[in-house]
Coordinates of all heavy atoms in Angstrom, one line a residue:
M419 N 0.8 -1.2 0.0 CA 0.0 0.0 0.0 C 0.9 1.1 0.1 O 1.7 1.4 0.8 CB -0.9 -0.1 1.3 CG -1.9 -1.2 1.4 SD -3.2 -1.1 0.2 CE -4.3 0.1 1.0
N420 N 0.7 2.1 -1.0 CA 1.5 3.3 -1.0 C 0.5 4.6 -1.0 O 0.9 5.5 -1.6 CB 2.4 3.4 -2.3 CG 1.7 3.3 -3.5 OD1 0.4 3.1 -3.4 ND2 2.3 3.5 -4.6
E421 N -0.6 4.4 -0.4 CA -1.6 5.4 -0.4 C -1.2 6.8 0.3 O -1.4 7.8 -0.2 CB -3.0 5.0 0.2 CG -3.6 4.0 -0.7 CD -4.9 3.5 -0.2 OE1 -5.3 4.0 0.9 OE2 -5.7 2.8 -0.9
R422 N -0.5 6.5 1.4 CA 0.0 7.6 2.1 C 1.0 8.4 1.3 O 1.0 9.6 1.3 CB 0.7 7.2 3.5 CG 1.1 8.4 4.3 CD 1.5 7.9 5.7 NE 0.4 7.5 6.4 CZ -0.4 8.4 7.0 NH1 -0.2 9.6 7.1 NH2 -1.5 7.8 7.8
R423 N 1.9 7.8 0.6 CA 2.9 8.4 -0.2 C 2.2 9.1 -1.3 O 2.6 10.3 -1.6 CB 3.9 7.3 -0.7 CG 5.0 8.0 -1.6 CD 6.0 6.9 -2.0 NE 7.1 7.5 -2.8 CZ 8.1 8.2 -2.2 NH1 8.2 8.3 -0.9 NH2 9.1 8.6 -2.9
E424 N 1.1 8.5 -2.0 CA 0.4 9.2 -3.0 C -0.3 10.5 -2.4 O -0.4 11.5 -3.1 CB -0.6 8.3 -3.6 CG 0.0 7.3 -4.6 CD -1.1 6.7 -5.5 OE1 -2.2 7.1 -5.3 OE2 -0.7 5.7 -6.2
Y425 N -0.7 10.4 -1.2 CA -1.5 11.5 -0.6 C -0.4 12.6 -0.4 O -0.7 13.8 -0.7 CB -2.1 11.1 0.7 CG -2.4 12.3 1.6 CD1 -3.4 13.3 1.1 CD2 -1.8 12.5 2.7 CE1 -3.7 14.3 1.8 CE2 -2.2 13.5 3.6 CZ -3.2 14.5 3.1 OH -3.4 15.6 3.9
L426 N 0.7 12.3 0.0 CA 1.7 13.4 0.4 C 2.1 14.0 -1.0 O 2.4 15.2 -1.0 CB 3.0 12.7 0.9 CG 2.7 12.3 2.5 CD1 4.0 11.6 3.0 CD2 2.3 13.6 3.3
E427 N 2.2 13.3 -2.1 CA 2.7 13.8 -3.4 C 1.6 14.3 -4.3 O 1.9 15.0 -5.2 CB 3.5 12.6 -4.1 CG 4.7 12.2 -3.3 CD 5.5 11.2 -4.1 OE1 4.9 10.6 -5.1 OE2 6.5 10.9 -3.6
G428 N 0.4 13.9 -4.0 CA -0.6 14.1 -5.0 C -1.5 15.3 -4.9 O -2.2 15.6 -5.8
G429 N -1.4 16.1 -3.8 CA -2.1 17.3 -3.7 C -3.6 16.9 -3.6 O -4.4 17.6 -4.3
L430 N -3.9 16.0 -2.8 CA -5.3 15.6 -2.8 C -6.1 16.5 -1.8 O -5.6 17.1 -0.9 CB -5.5 14.1 -2.3 CG -4.8 13.1 -3.1 CD1 -5.0 11.7 -2.4 CD2 -5.2 13.1 -4.4
V431 N -7.5 16.6 -2.0 CA -8.3 17.4 -1.2 C -9.4 16.5 -0.6 O -9.7 15.6 -1.2 CB -8.8 18.5 -2.0 CG1 -7.7 19.5 -2.5 CG2 -9.7 18.2 -3.2
D432 N -10.0 17.1 0.5 CA -11.0 16.3 1.0 C -12.3 16.6 0.3 O -12.7 17.9 0.1 CB -11.3 16.6 2.6 CG -10.1 16.2 3.4 OD1 -9.8 15.1 3.3 OD2 -9.5 17.0 4.1
V433 N -13.0 15.7 -0.1 CA -14.3 15.8 -0.9 C -15.4 15.1 -0.1 O -16.2 15.6 0.4 CB -14.3 15.4 -2.3 CG1 -15.5 15.6 -3.1 CG2 -13.1 16.1 -3.1
G434 N -15.5 13.8 -0.3 CA -16.5 13.1 0.4 C -17.5 12.8 -0.5 O -18.0 13.6 -1.3
C435 N -18.3 11.7 -0.2 CA -19.6 11.3 -1.0 C -20.7 11.9 -0.2 O -20.9 11.7 1.0 CB -19.7 9.9 -1.1 SG -21.2 9.3 -1.9
E436 N -21.4 12.8 -0.9 CA -22.4 13.7 -0.2 C -23.7 12.7 0.1 O -24.5 13.2 1.0 CB -22.8 14.8 -1.0 CG -21.7 15.8 -1.2 CD -22.0 16.9 -2.2 OE1 -23.0 16.9 -2.9 OE2 -21.1 17.7 -2.5
T437 N -23.8 11.7 -0.6 CA -24.9 10.7 -0.4 C -24.7 9.7 0.7 O -25.5 9.5 1.6 CB -25.3 10.1 -1.6 OG1 -25.8 11.2 -2.5 CG2 -26.5 9.2 -1.4
C438 N -23.4 9.1 0.7 CA -23.1 8.1 1.6 C -22.5 8.6 2.8 O -22.5 7.9 3.8 CB -22.1 7.2 1.0 SG -22.7 6.4 -0.6
G439 N -22.1 9.9 2.8 CA -21.5 10.6 3.9 C -20.1 10.0 4.3 O -19.7 10.1 5.4
I440 N -19.4 9.5 3.3 CA -18.2 8.9 3.4 C -17.1 9.8 3.1 O -17.1 10.3 2.0 CB -18.0 7.5 2.7 CG1 -19.0 6.6 3.1 CG2 -16.5 7.0 2.9 CD1 -18.9 6.0 4.5
P441 N -16.2 10.3 3.9 CA -15.1 11.1 3.5 C -14.1 10.5 2.6 O -13.6 9.4 3.0 CB -14.5 11.6 4.9 CG -14.8 10.5 5.8 CD -16.1 9.8 5.4
V442 N -13.7 11.2 1.6 CA -12.7 10.7 0.7 C -11.7 11.7 0.4 O -12.1 13.0 0.5 CB -13.2 10.0 -0.6 CG1 -14.1 8.9 -0.3 CG2 -13.9 11.1 -1.4
R443 N -10.5 11.5 -0.1 CA -9.7 12.4 -0.6 C -9.5 12.2 -2.0 O -9.5 11.0 -2.5 CB -8.2 12.3 0.0 CG -8.1 12.6 1.5 CD -6.6 12.4 2.0 NE -6.6 12.5 3.5 CZ -6.6 13.7 4.1 NH1 -6.7 14.7 3.4 NH2 -6.6 13.6 5.4
A444 N -9.6 13.3 -2.9 CA -9.5 13.2 -4.2 C -8.5 14.2 -4.8 O -8.3 15.2 -4.3 CB -10.9 13.4 -4.9
G445 N -8.0 13.7 -6.0 CA -7.1 14.7 -6.7 C -7.2 14.3 -8.2 O -7.5 13.2 -8.7
K446 N -7.0 15.3 -9.0 CA -7.0 15.1 -10.5 C -5.6 15.4 -11.0 O -4.9 16.3 -10.8 CB -7.9 16.1 -11.1 CG -9.4 16.0 -10.7 CD -10.3 16.9 -11.5 CE -10.5 16.4 -12.9 NZ -11.1 15.1 -13.0
K447 N -5.2 14.3 -11.8 CA -3.9 14.4 -12.4 C -4.1 14.9 -13.8 O -3.2 15.4 -14.4 CB -3.3 12.9 -12.6 CG -3.1 12.3 -11.2 CD -1.7 12.2 -10.9 CE -1.5 11.4 -9.5 NZ -2.2 12.0 -8.3
S448 N -5.3 14.9 -14.3 CA -5.8 15.5 -15.6 C -7.2 15.7 -15.6 O -7.8 15.3 -14.7 CB -5.3 14.5 -16.7 OG -6.2 13.5 -16.8
T449 N -7.7 16.3 -16.7 CA -9.1 16.5 -16.6 C -10.0 15.3 -16.6 O -11.1 15.3 -16.3 CB -9.6 17.5 -17.7 OG1 -9.0 16.9 -19.1 CG2 -9.0 18.9 -17.6
M450 N -9.3 14.2 -17.2 CA -9.9 12.9 -17.4 C -9.8 12.0 -16.3 O -10.5 10.9 -16.2 CB -9.6 12.3 -18.8 CG -10.0 13.1 -19.9 SD -11.8 13.5 -20.0 CE -12.3 11.8 -20.4
Q451 N -8.8 12.2 -15.5 CA -8.4 11.2 -14.4 C -8.6 11.7 -13.1 O -8.0 12.8 -12.7 CB -7.0 10.6 -14.7 CG -6.5 9.6 -13.7 CD -5.0 9.3 -13.8 OE1 -4.3 10.0 -14.5 NE2 -4.6 8.4 -12.9
T452 N -9.4 11.1 -12.2 CA -9.5 11.5 -10.8 C -9.1 10.3 -9.9 O -9.7 9.2 -10.1 CB -10.9 11.8 -10.6 OG1 -11.4 12.9 -11.5 CG2 -11.1 12.3 -9.1
S453 N -8.2 10.5 -9.1 CA -7.8 9.6 -8.1 C -8.7 9.8 -6.7 O -8.8 10.9 -6.4 CB -6.3 9.8 -7.8 OG -5.7 9.5 -8.9
V454 N -9.0 8.6 -6.1 CA -9.9 8.8 -4.9 C -9.3 7.9 -4.0 O -9.0 6.7 -4.3 CB -11.3 8.4 -5.2 CG1 -12.1 8.4 -3.9 CG2 -11.9 9.3 -6.2
Q455 N -9.1 8.3 -2.7 CA -8.5 7.5 -1.6 C -9.5 7.6 -0.5 O -10.0 8.7 0.0 CB -7.2 7.9 -1.2 CG -6.2 7.8 -2.4 CD -4.8 8.3 -2.1 OE1 -4.6 8.8 -0.9 NE2 -3.8 8.0 -2.9
W456 N -9.8 6.4 0.2 CA -10.7 6.3 1.4 C -9.8 6.3 2.5 O -8.9 5.5 2.6 CB -11.6 5.2 1.4 CG -12.6 5.3 0.3 CD1 -14.0 5.8 0.7 CD2 -12.6 5.2 -1.1 NE1 -14.7 5.9 -0.5 CE2 -14.0 5.5 -1.6 CE3 -11.7 4.6 -2.0 CZ2 -14.3 5.3 -3.0 CZ3 -12.0 4.6 -3.3 CH2 -13.3 5.0 -3.8
S457 N -10.1 7.1 3.5 CA -9.4 6.9 4.8 C -10.0 5.9 5.7 O -9.5 5.5 6.7 CB -9.4 8.3 5.6 OG -10.7 8.9 5.6
G458 N -11.3 5.5 5.4 CA -12.0 4.5 6.1 C -12.7 3.7 5.1 O -12.3 3.4 4.0
P459 N -13.9 3.1 5.6 CA -14.7 2.4 4.7 C -15.2 3.2 3.5 O -15.5 4.3 3.6 CB -16.0 2.1 5.5 CG -15.4 2.3 7.0 CD -14.5 3.4 6.9
A460 N -15.1 2.5 2.4 CA -15.5 3.1 1.2 C -17.1 3.3 1.1 O -17.8 2.7 2.0 CB -15.1 2.2 0.0
C461 N -17.6 4.0 0.1 CA -19.0 4.2 -0.1 C -19.7 2.9 0.0 O -19.1 1.8 -0.5 CB -19.3 4.8 -1.4 SG -18.8 6.5 -1.5
A462 N -20.9 2.8 0.6 CA -21.6 1.5 0.6 C -21.7 0.9 -0.6 O -21.5 -0.3 -0.9 CB -22.9 1.7 1.3
R463 N -22.1 1.7 -1.7 CA -22.4 1.0 -2.9 C -21.2 0.6 -3.6 O -21.1 -0.4 -4.4 CB -23.2 2.1 -3.9 CG -24.5 2.4 -3.2 CD -25.4 3.2 -4.1 NE -25.6 2.5 -5.4 CZ -26.6 2.9 -6.2 NH1 -27.3 4.0 -5.9 NH2 -26.9 2.2 -7.3
L464 N -20.1 1.3 -3.5 CA -18.8 0.9 -3.9 C -18.3 -0.4 -3.4 O -17.8 -1.2 -4.2 CB -17.8 2.1 -3.7 CG -16.5 1.9 -4.5 CD1 -16.7 1.7 -6.0 CD2 -15.5 3.0 -4.1
A465 N -18.4 -0.4 -2.1 CA -18.0 -1.7 -1.4 C -18.8 -2.9 -1.9 O -18.4 -4.0 -2.2 CB -18.1 -1.6 0.1
E466 N -20.1 -2.6 -2.1 CA -20.9 -3.7 -2.6 C -20.5 -4.1 -3.9 O -20.4 -5.3 -4.3 CB -22.4 -3.1 -2.7 CG -23.5 -4.0 -2.7 CD -24.8 -3.3 -2.5 OE1 -25.2 -2.9 -1.4 OE2 -25.4 -3.0 -3.6
A467 N -20.1 -3.2 -4.9 CA -19.9 -3.5 -6.1 C -18.5 -4.2 -6.2 O -18.2 -5.2 -7.2 CB -19.6 -2.3 -7.0
A468 N -17.7 -4.0 -5.2 CA -16.3 -4.6 -5.3 C -16.4 -6.1 -4.6 O -15.4 -6.8 -4.5 CB -15.4 -3.8 -4.4
G469 N -17.5 -6.4 -4.0 CA -17.7 -7.7 -3.4 C -16.8 -8.0 -2.2 O -16.3 -9.0 -1.9
G470 N -16.4 -6.9 -1.4 CA -15.5 -7.0 -0.3 C -14.0 -6.9 -0.6 O -13.2 -7.0 0.2
R471 N -13.7 -7.1 -2.0 CA -12.3 -7.0 -2.2 C -11.8 -5.6 -2.3 O -12.5 -4.7 -2.3 CB -12.0 -7.6 -3.7 CG -12.2 -9.1 -3.8 CD -12.2 -9.6 -5.1 NE -13.4 -9.3 -5.8 CZ -13.5 -8.8 -7.0 NH1 -12.4 -8.4 -7.7 NH2 -14.7 -8.5 -7.5
P472 N -10.4 -5.4 -2.0 CA -9.9 -4.0 -2.1 C -10.2 -3.4 -3.5 O -10.1 -4.1 -4.5 CB -8.4 -4.2 -1.9 CG -8.3 -5.5 -1.2 CD -9.4 -6.3 -1.7
T473 N -10.6 -2.1 -3.5 CA -11.0 -1.6 -4.8 C -9.9 -0.8 -5.3 O -8.9 -0.3 -4.7 CB -12.2 -0.6 -4.5 OG1 -11.7 0.5 -3.5 CG2 -13.4 -1.3 -3.9
A474 N -9.9 -0.7 -6.7 CA -9.1 0.2 -7.3 C -9.5 1.6 -7.1 O -10.5 2.0 -6.5 CB -9.0 -0.1 -9.0
L475 N -8.7 2.5 -7.6 CA -8.8 4.0 -7.1 C -9.9 4.6 -8.2 O -9.7 5.6 -8.9 CB -7.7 4.7 -7.1 CG -6.5 4.3 -6.1 CD1 -5.3 5.1 -6.2 CD2 -7.2 4.4 -4.7
V476 N -11.1 3.9 -8.4 CA -11.9 4.3 -9.4 C -13.3 4.6 -8.6 O -13.8 3.7 -8.1 CB -12.2 3.2 -10.5 CG1 -13.2 3.7 -11.4 CG2 -10.8 2.9 -11.1
P477 N -13.9 5.7 -8.7 CA -15.1 6.2 -8.1 C -16.3 5.6 -8.9 O -16.9 6.4 -9.6 CB -15.1 7.6 -8.0 CG -14.3 8.1 -9.2 CD -13.3 7.0 -9.4
T478 N -16.6 4.4 -8.6 CA -17.8 3.8 -9.1 C -19.2 4.2 -8.5 O -20.2 3.9 -9.1 CB -17.7 2.3 -9.3 OG1 -17.4 1.8 -8.0 CG2 -16.5 2.0 -10.2
C479 N -19.2 4.6 -7.2 CA -20.3 5.0 -6.6 C -20.9 6.2 -7.4 O -20.2 7.3 -7.6 CB -20.1 5.4 -5.2 SG -21.6 6.2 -4.3
P480 N -22.1 6.1 -8.0 CA -22.6 7.2 -8.8 C -22.7 8.5 -7.9 O -22.6 9.6 -8.6 CB -23.9 6.8 -9.4 CG -24.3 5.7 -8.4 CD -23.0 5.0 -7.9
H481 N -23.0 8.4 -6.7 CA -23.2 9.7 -6.0 C -21.8 10.3 -5.7 O -21.7 11.5 -5.6 CB -23.9 9.3 -4.6 CG -25.2 8.5 -4.8 ND1 -26.2 9.1 -5.4 CD2 -25.5 7.2 -4.5 CE1 -27.2 8.2 -5.4 NE2 -26.8 7.0 -4.9
L482 N -20.9 9.5 -5.5 CA -19.5 10.0 -5.3 C -19.0 10.7 -6.5 O -18.4 11.8 -6.5 CB -18.5 8.9 -4.9 CG -17.1 9.3 -4.8 CD1 -16.9 10.4 -3.8 CD2 -16.1 8.1 -4.4
R483 N -19.4 10.2 -7.6 CA -18.9 10.8 -8.9 C -19.7 12.2 -9.0 O -19.0 13.2 -9.4 CB -19.4 10.0 -10.2 CG -18.9 10.5 -11.4 CD -19.1 9.5 -12.5 NE -18.2 8.4 -12.3 CZ -16.9 8.4 -12.8 NH1 -16.3 9.5 -13.3 NH2 -16.2 7.2 -12.7
D484 N -20.9 12.2 -8.7 CA -21.6 13.5 -8.6 C -21.0 14.5 -7.7 O -20.9 15.7 -8.0 CB -23.0 13.4 -8.2 CG -24.0 12.7 -9.3 OD1 -23.5 12.6 -10.4 OD2 -25.0 12.2 -9.0
S485 N -20.6 13.9 -6.6 CA -19.9 14.9 -5.6 C -18.6 15.4 -6.0 O -18.2 16.5 -5.9 CB -19.8 14.2 -4.3 OG -21.0 13.7 -3.7
L486 N -17.9 14.5 -6.8 CA -16.6 14.9 -7.4 C -16.9 15.9 -8.5 O -16.1 17.0 -8.6 CB -15.8 13.7 -7.9 CG -15.4 12.7 -6.9 CD1 -14.8 11.5 -7.5 CD2 -14.3 13.3 -5.9
D487 N -17.8 15.7 -9.3 CA -18.1 16.6 -10.5 C -18.4 18.0 -9.9 O -18.0 19.1 -10.3 CB -19.4 16.1 -11.2 CG -18.9 15.0 -12.1 OD1 -17.7 14.8 -12.2 OD2 -19.8 14.3 -12.6
R488 N -19.3 18.0 -8.7 CA -19.6 19.3 -8.1 C -18.4 20.0 -7.5 O -18.2 21.2 -7.7 CB -20.6 19.0 -7.0 CG -21.1 20.4 -6.3 CD -22.2 20.1 -5.3 NE -23.3 19.6 -6.0 CZ -23.8 18.3 -5.7 NH1 -23.2 17.5 -4.9 NH2 -24.8 17.9 -6.3
A489 N -17.6 19.3 -7.0 CA -16.2 19.8 -6.4 C -15.5 20.5 -7.5 O -14.8 21.5 -7.3 CB -15.4 18.8 -5.6
V490 N -15.4 19.9 -8.7 CA -14.6 20.4 -9.8 C -15.3 21.7 -10.2 O -14.6 22.7 -10.4 CB -14.5 19.5 -11.0 CG1 -14.0 20.1 -12.1 CG2 -13.6 18.2 -10.5
R491 N -16.6 21.7 -10.3 CA -17.3 22.9 -10.8 C -17.2 24.0 -9.8 O -17.0 25.2 -10.2 CB -18.8 22.6 -10.9 CG -19.2 21.8 -12.2 CD -20.7 22.0 -12.5 NE -21.5 21.4 -11.4 CZ -21.9 20.3 -11.2 NH1 -21.5 19.3 -12.1 NH2 -22.7 19.9 -10.2
E492 N -17.1 23.7 -8.6 CA -16.9 24.8 -7.5 C -15.5 25.2 -7.2 O -15.2 26.0 -6.4 CB -17.6 24.3 -6.2 CG -19.1 24.2 -6.4 CD -19.8 23.6 -5.1 OE1 -19.0 23.2 -4.2 OE2 -21.0 23.5 -5.1
G493 N -14.6 24.5 -7.9 CA -13.2 24.9 -7.9 C -12.5 24.4 -6.6 O -11.3 24.7 -6.3
R494 N -13.1 23.3 -6.0 CA -12.5 22.8 -4.8 C -11.5 21.6 -5.2 O -10.7 21.3 -4.4 CB -13.5 22.2 -3.9 CG -14.4 23.3 -3.1 CD -15.3 22.6 -2.1 NE -16.5 22.1 -2.9 CZ -17.0 20.9 -2.5 NH1 -16.5 20.2 -1.6 NH2 -18.0 20.5 -3.2
L495 N -11.7 21.2 -6.4 CA -10.9 20.0 -6.9 C -10.4 20.5 -8.2 O -11.1 20.6 -9.2 CB -11.8 18.8 -7.0 CG -11.1 17.6 -7.5 CD1 -9.8 17.2 -6.6 CD2 -12.1 16.4 -7.6
E496 N -9.1 20.6 -8.3 CA -8.4 21.2 -9.5 C -7.3 20.2 -10.0 O -6.8 19.5 -9.1 CB -7.8 22.6 -9.2 CG -8.9 23.6 -8.9 CD -8.2 24.9 -8.6 OE1 -7.1 25.0 -8.0 OE2 -8.8 25.9 -9.2
V497 N -7.0 20.3 -11.2 CA -5.9 19.4 -11.7 C -4.6 19.8 -11.1 O -4.3 21.0 -11.1 CB -5.8 19.6 -13.2 CG1 -4.6 18.7 -13.8 CG2 -7.0 19.0 -13.9
S498 N -3.9 18.9 -10.5 CA -2.7 19.2 -9.8 C -1.5 18.9 -10.7 O -1.6 18.0 -11.6 CB -2.6 18.5 -8.4 OG -2.7 17.2 -8.6
Ligands
ZN423 ZN1 -21.2 7.1 -2.3

């Protein structure tokens, strides 16, 4: 696991899934790529989709994606 190192280097910001209430850190390496890291349990729906296995850094919870899109529009999440 190198998530802490990525956090230190990645310029991630706290966003969180507004529907699930799960805090996450997110960062954009480009306009098309968003990295998401969970400090605790992932979104309920994301954990469900993963079947209990560790997930890749892909925000498949639709609500989390909405939250990330909103963060980008509001300027809270920018390409680093
Ligand atoms: Zn969610």
Side-chain angles (χ1 to χ4, degrees):
M419 299 289 280
N420 61 353
E421 288 181 355
R422 179 169 296 276
R423 183 174 182 81
E424 282 197 9
Y425 164 61
L426 291 172
E427 295 178 351
L430 302 184
V431 298
D432 293 310
V433 179
C435 179
E436 294 169 7
T437 299
C438 302
I440 301 294
V442 301
R443 294 182 191 279
K446 292 189 76 63
K447 301 253 188 298
S448 73
T449 54
M450 296 300 294
Q451 180 188 3
T452 303
S453 298
V454 177
Q455 297 177 355
W456 286 264
S457 55
C461 287
R463 299 188 62 167
L464 185 61
E466 206 171 275
R471 285 171 287 132
T473 61
L475 300 179
V476 179
T478 55
C479 172
H481 307 297
L482 176 57
R483 185 171 292 280
D484 287 346
S485 298
L486 293 173
D487 287 345
R488 183 175 298 111
V490 171
R491 285 198 302 272
E492 294 177 351
R494 288 182 285 137
L495 179 57
E496 299 178 322
V497 177
S498 58

